[in-house]
Every structure is written in structure tokens, then in C-alpha cells.
């Protein structure tokens, strides 16, 4: 119950003055090895299982009961139903979630929202809110990063059962201020947990809850996200057997590049949602993503993205190709660097992803 009290206390704290220092110390977390020299282990499957166990242990969260949900009310939209849920994710945490349910789903998509230092909305970054105040917040965000497309509604129109929920600190679970995320991270560490681990475990629980909602075990679940949501998308694909494939836009790189002097993660900022204590000094990002093989994975990055250095993206792509080849699934990995794109998931990229998803429907994704 200590964690519940800490989270509740944080939710009641009002934003205070900016107390950040002018100079921020550099926090370097070395990779286990350079991306360019990475060689797939001789027994790749055994290596994967070992590293998955290490990854799971680094979440600092014991196995909990499966997520359960309470349906509050529904609304009819053109061709699908909008459902408002309260989902109990762990014994100590819960979240508001939205489900878009077509009459005959062809599969399911777990949508994982970004960070963007914008905590006022979470799941609403993907669904067109009916509330005018929420729409006024969501529309500019969607216009800036998604070419004006509400991704969740688009996928529901295509026939997918879609789920998104608020991560800790966002929307119904806050909203916290930019500085308060440090307080949240500190409170979790004091309780023997981590913010990155809690968020990751909750995503695994959401995947299980979505599988319950899909009802048809033969239909695929795809995790999809942008920015921090992209990190979450490949992470849950690596950790959860419920997820069959993943799409990740604008979050793939290497720890040395992302934690170099002057970078966002080196300053703290959103890093608390990404850094698992002890894990990131042993496994680089491409190592972690490789744990999802042989599942179908589509990674997109922008060549002009200031948050994700392009040279590290390309080096990491090379390692992933080796990993998927070692897993006997080279054709299931798709990696793209859109040379003129910034930190965005724009319309042309979306159309490519939708085509890739249609191709998946013709095959049986790996479990």
C-alpha cells in the first residue's frame, strides 16, 4: 500500500517553480559492446531466453494477477463502438482505457502513447475525444505528429479492435508536471520499484487484457507506438507472448548515443520511463529489440529527427538484421530511415504501415 500512498500523494501535488540547474551532469551508460561489432550468439534462442529473464527481473515488479476491467459506458461511432473502461493493471495501480470495437474484428492493436512532455492527455493522442476540452488539447498534437489522423479511429475503421490506456503520470493518472516525473520516479525507487519497470509491466498486463477482449486466440495482436510509445511497442513485443507483431515509429537508437553529453536522456527528462536499473549497462537497445525475434517488426525513423541520431539508427538496424536472420525470420523485419522525416509519424508513413498490416493478415504471425 506504500506505493498507492506515494502515487496518490503525487497526484495531489501542485506544480511548483522551476528549480532546474543551469548545468546538468552527464550520465553515461555504456553498451555491452559496439553495434558494428555485434555477433549473433551461436545459440541465439538460448541467448534470447537468458536475456528475457534478465529483462523481466530488471522491471522490479513481481508477477501480479491478470488485469481486469470494468466497462463504464459505450458510444456508437461510424462502424465501431467506443468503450470506456477502468482497468486494474496491478494490485496497486489502475488506469482509464478506451476500446474501439468493430462488429467483426480482424485482429487487435495495442496503442501505446508518447511522452512529449505533455501529460494533459495520454490515450487521447490516438482517439478523437468527444469532450471538447480534451479535443482542443488532442487535435493540435495529432496535427503536428500524425498529419491530423487519429490513429486509433483509423485502425478501428480498418477492422481492428483497438485499446489504449493512460501511462503513469498522464491524463487520468495525473497530469503531473514535467518536474514531478522526477518525484514520481524517486517515490517508486524508494518503494523498491522503478517508473520504467512499472510502465513496462503495465503494458504487458494491457496486452493480456486485450487478448481477453479479442476472444479469438488465432487473431494477432500488434503493438504500435510513436516516440516513447515506439519504445513501449517493441519492448512489450519482446516481453509478452500475447503480442504477435509490433510497429515502432521514432524510438530506436543506442544507449551511448542517447546518453551522450547534452542529449535529452542524459539530462533526466523522459529517461525515467526508459532506463531499467542495471539492465541498460549490460544490453544495448538493439540487444533488447532482438528479443522480439522472430516476430514481425516494423521500425521507422526520421533522418532529420534530432532525438534519434541517424548514424546510430543505421548501425542498430544492421544488428537487428543479423538477429532476425539468426532467428530464421529475416523477411519479418522491416527497417526504414525516412531521410527527410523529422520526429513524426506522418501520413505517408502511416499508409506504408497499414499496407504492411494487411500483408500480416495473409500470414500467421509468430507467437
Amino acid at each position: 500500500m506504500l506505493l498507492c500512498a506515494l502515487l496518490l500523494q503525487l497526484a495531489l501535488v501542485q506544480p511548483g517553480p522551476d528549480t532546474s540547474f543551469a548545468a546538468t551532469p552527464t550520465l553515461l551508460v555504456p553498451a555491452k559492446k559496439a553495434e558494428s561489432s555485434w555477433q549473433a550468439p551461436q545459440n541465439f534462442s538460448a541467448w534470447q531466453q537468458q536475456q528475457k529473464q534478465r529483462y523481466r527481473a530488471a522491471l522490479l515488479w513481481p508477477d501480479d494477477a491478470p488485469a481486469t476491467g470494468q466497462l463504464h459506458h459505450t458510444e456508437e461511432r461510424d462502424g465501431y463502438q467506443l468503450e470506456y473502461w477502468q482497468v486494474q493493471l496491478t494490485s496497486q495501480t489502475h488506469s482509464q482505457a478506451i476500446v474501439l470495437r468493430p462488429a467483426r474484428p480482424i485482429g487487435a492493436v495495442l496503442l501505446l502513447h508518447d511522452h512529449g512532455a505533455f501529460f494533459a492527455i495520454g490515450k487521447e493522442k490516438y482517439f478523437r475525444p468527444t469532450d471538447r476540452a480534451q479535443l482542443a488539447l488532442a487535435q493540435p498534437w495529432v496535427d503536428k505528429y500524425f498529419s491530423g489522423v487519429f490513429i486509433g479511429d483509423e485502425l478501428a475503421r480498418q477492422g481492428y479492435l483497438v485499446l489504449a490506456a493512460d501511462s503513469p503520470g498522464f491524463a487520468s493518472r495525473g497530469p503531473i508536471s514535467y518536474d514531478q516525473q522526477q518525484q514520481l520516479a524517486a517515490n517508486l525507487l524508494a518503494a523498491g520499484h522503478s517508473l520504467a519497470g512499472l510502465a513496462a509491466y503495465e503494458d504487458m498486463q494491457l496486452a493480456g487484457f486485450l487478448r481477453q477482449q479479442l476472444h479469438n486466440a488465432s487473431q494477432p495482436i500488434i503493438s504500435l507506438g510513436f516516440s516513447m510509445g515506439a519504445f513501449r511497442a517493441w519492448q512489450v513485443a519482446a516481453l509478452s507472448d500475447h503480442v504477435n507483431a509490433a510497429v515502432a515509429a521514432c524510438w530506436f537508437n543506442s544507449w551511448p548515443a542517447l546518453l551522450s553529453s547534452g542529449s535529452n536522456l542524459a539530462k533526466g527528462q523522459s529517461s525515467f520511463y526508459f532506463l531499467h536499473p542495471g539492465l541498460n549497462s549490460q544490453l544495448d537497445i538493439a540487444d533488447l529489440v532482438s528479443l522480439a525475434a522472430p516476430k514481425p517488426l516494423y521500425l521507422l525513423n526520421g533522418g532529420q529527427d534530432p532525438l534519434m541520431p541517424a548514424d546510430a539508427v543505421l548501425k542498430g538496424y544492421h544488428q537487428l538484421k543479423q538477429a532476425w536472420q539468426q532467428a530464421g525470420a529475416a523477411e519479418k523485419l522491416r527497417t526504414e530511415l525516412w531521410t527527410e522525416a523529422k520526429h513524426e509519424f506522418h501520413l505517408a508513413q502511416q499508409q506504408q504501415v497499414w499496407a504492411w498490416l494487411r500483408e500480416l493478415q495473409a500470414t500467421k504471425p509468430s507467437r
Side-chain angles (χ1 to χ4, degrees), residues 6 23 42 69 102 205 209 289 348:
L6 290 170
Q42 186 173 3
Q205 292 286 81
F209 179 73
V289 178

Side-chain angles (χ1 to χ4, degrees), residues 22 73 86 98 117 152 219 246 250 272 348:
H73 69 279
Q86 183 83 0
I98 290 179
Q219 291 181 325
C250 296
F272 301 104

Side-chain angles (χ1 to χ4, degrees), residues 190-363:
H193 303 288
S194 75
L195 181 52
L198 173 61
Y201 186 77
E202 288 188 349
D203 288 344
M204 295 170 63
Q205 292 286 81
L206 285 171
F209 179 73
L210 182 55
R211 175 58 68 188
Q212 297 170 25
Q213 297 300 309
L214 189 56
H215 302 309
N216 188 338
S218 67
Q219 291 181 325
I221 290 179
I222 300 101
S223 56
L224 188 154
F226 162 72
S227 193
M228 180 179 79
F231 167 89
R232 298 168 63 194
W234 56 250
Q235 176 174 252
V236 73
L239 292 173
S240 174
D241 291 335
H242 294 297
V243 176
N244 307 107
V247 177
C250 296
W251 212 107
F252 176 74
N253 218 261
S254 71
W255 292 127
L258 295 186
L259 290 164
S260 61
S261 179
S263 68
N264 280 350
L265 295 194
K267 299 173 184 176
Q269 300 189 356
S270 60
S271 64
F272 301 104
Y273 289 88
F274 306 124
L275 300 179
H276 299 287
L279 179 69
N280 305 107
S281 63
Q282 303 172 55
L283 296 170
D284 203 354
I285 294 170
D287 294 319
L288 301 177
V289 178
S290 296
L291 303 183
K295 296 177 181 179
L297 174 65
Y298 191 168
L299 293 180
L300 306 93
N301 282 270
Q304 306 304 314
D305 186 344
L307 301 179
M308 298 286 145
D311 56 345
V313 170
L314 292 175
K315 289 179 181 179
Y317 280 175
H318 177 70
Q319 176 176 331
L320 294 185
K321 290 177 182 177
Q322 291 181 284
W324 258 257
Q325 287 173 353
Q326 191 77 1
E331 75 285 355
K332 295 181 180 178
L333 175 68
R334 181 166 176 174
T335 58
E336 294 177 351
L337 182 68
W338 293 61
T339 56
E340 300 303 318
K342 300 178 182 179
H343 195 70
E344 58 190 336
F345 183 35
H346 59 60
L347 184 60
Q349 294 170 325
Q350 294 168 32
Q351 291 171 342
Q352 292 293 321
V353 169
W354 309 155
W356 185 77
L357 292 179
R358 288 192 294 270
E359 293 175 5
L360 283 186
Q361 294 300 319
T363 62

Side-chain angles (χ1 to χ4, degrees), residues 27-346:
L27 177 64
L28 294 178
V29 178
K32 186 180 65 173
K33 45 192 168 300
E35 305 93 333
S36 58
S37 63
W38 187 86
Q39 296 293 326
Q42 186 173 3
N43 190 332
F44 184 71
S45 178
W47 176 83
Q48 278 189 308
Q49 293 306 313
Q50 180 185 27
Q51 304 312 323
K52 283 183 180 180
Q53 293 175 4
R54 174 179 286 175
Y55 203 153
R56 181 63 185 84
L59 303 188
L60 303 179
W61 200 276
D63 286 332
D64 220 313
T68 58
Q70 181 179 359
L71 177 62
H72 286 286
H73 69 279
T74 64
E75 299 174 6
E76 293 297 327
R77 290 198 172 179
D78 185 19
Y80 53 93
Q81 185 170 268
L82 174 64
E83 302 175 350
Y84 295 85
W85 287 80
Q86 183 83 0
V87 182
Q88 190 73 35
L89 294 169
T90 74
S91 58
Q92 301 182 67
T93 63
H94 57 81
S95 179
Q96 290 183 11
I98 290 179
V99 172
L100 297 185
R101 190 184 301 274
R104 295 179 178 83
I106 62 174
V109 177
L110 175 60
L111 282 178
L112 302 162
H113 68 73
D114 59 72
H115 187 287
F118 190 42
F119 298 93
I121 53 175
K123 60 188 178 300
E124 295 82 9
K125 295 176 179 179
Y126 286 128
F127 300 103
R128 185 176 184 85
T130 55
D131 180 82
R132 289 186 178 181
Q134 288 184 328
L135 180 59
L137 295 172
Q139 189 67 64
W141 197 261
V142 170
D143 290 343
K144 180 178 181 179
Y145 294 110
F146 305 141
S147 299
V149 177
F150 282 92
I151 302 297
D153 294 273
E154 172 61 29
L155 288 166
R157 284 190 288 268
Q158 294 181 26
Y160 291 96
L161 176 70
V162 185
L163 166 68
D166 295 322
S167 283
F170 291 84
S172 64
R173 304 181 70 180
I176 60 177
S177 70
Y178 201 51
D179 291 337
Q180 285 173 337
Q181 65 184 340
Q182 275 84 328
Q183 183 181 350
L184 174 57
N187 285 344
L188 283 162
L189 286 171
H193 303 288
S194 75
L195 181 52
L198 173 61
Y201 186 77
E202 288 188 349
D203 288 344
M204 295 170 63
Q205 292 286 81
L206 285 171
F209 179 73
L210 182 55
R211 175 58 68 188
Q212 297 170 25
Q213 297 300 309
L214 189 56
H215 302 309
N216 188 338
S218 67
Q219 291 181 325
I221 290 179
I222 300 101
S223 56
L224 188 154
F226 162 72
S227 193
M228 180 179 79
F231 167 89
R232 298 168 63 194
W234 56 250
Q235 176 174 252
V236 73
L239 292 173
S240 174
D241 291 335
H242 294 297
V243 176
N244 307 107
V247 177
C250 296
W251 212 107
F252 176 74
N253 218 261
S254 71
W255 292 127
L258 295 186
L259 290 164
S260 61
S261 179
S263 68
N264 280 350
L265 295 194
K267 299 173 184 176
Q269 300 189 356
S270 60
S271 64
F272 301 104
Y273 289 88
F274 306 124
L275 300 179
H276 299 287
L279 179 69
N280 305 107
S281 63
Q282 303 172 55
L283 296 170
D284 203 354
I285 294 170
D287 294 319
L288 301 177
V289 178
S290 296
L291 303 183
K295 296 177 181 179
L297 174 65
Y298 191 168
L299 293 180
L300 306 93
N301 282 270
Q304 306 304 314
D305 186 344
L307 301 179
M308 298 286 145
D311 56 345
V313 170
L314 292 175
K315 289 179 181 179
Y317 280 175
H318 177 70
Q319 176 176 331
L320 294 185
K321 290 177 182 177
Q322 291 181 284
W324 258 257
Q325 287 173 353
Q326 191 77 1
E331 75 285 355
K332 295 181 180 178
L333 175 68
R334 181 166 176 174
T335 58
E336 294 177 351
L337 182 68
W338 293 61
T339 56
E340 300 303 318
K342 300 178 182 179
H343 195 70
E344 58 190 336
F345 183 35
H346 59 60

Side-chain angles (χ1 to χ4, degrees), residues 14-20 179:
Q14 297 300 314
D18 183 8
T19 58
S20 59
D179 291 337

